[in-house]
Amino acid sequence: IEARKPFSVDPKLPLEISHTDAVDVPVRVTNDSDEKRAVGLVLTPTAFKFDGIPPTADGKFASALDLAPNGKGRKIVRVKADALQGDARLIVEGAS
């Protein structure tokens, strides 16, 4: 018996950045099913702004990936700090 999730989303973020840094955030998506899968991604920033990507009207970034059975994909999103100090957050949601 094998148990696994049908897909997973794995962003890689640094623990700390300076207010002048631009960070390329790779978001890896894995399809662990035997079926083709369309995965929608929504990134919601707090104390970040997207660099070079027009956000949606509510300030988020939305994208989609089509993954082959047991396939992998990656989306790279560039963000910059939007505050001089304090905590920042980037919520990454995937739906299929």
Side-chain angles (χ1 to χ4, degrees), residues 24-80:
D24 289 332
V25 179
V27 180
R28 182 176 154 196
V29 183
T30 305
N31 178 6
D32 287 323
S33 72
D34 294 329
E35 301 173 2
K36 183 177 178 182
R37 187 172 293 276
V39 177
L41 294 174
V42 176
L43 283 75
T44 306
T46 301
F48 279 123
K49 61 183 174 184
F50 295 113
D51 187 25
I53 303 169
T56 60
D58 56 359
K60 299 179 180 185
F61 170 74
S63 184
L65 292 168
D66 288 323
L67 301 176
N70 298 302
K72 297 177 179 153
R74 183 172 71 163
K75 186 65 76 173
I76 297 177
V77 179
R78 178 172 279 198
V79 295
K80 286 186 172 184

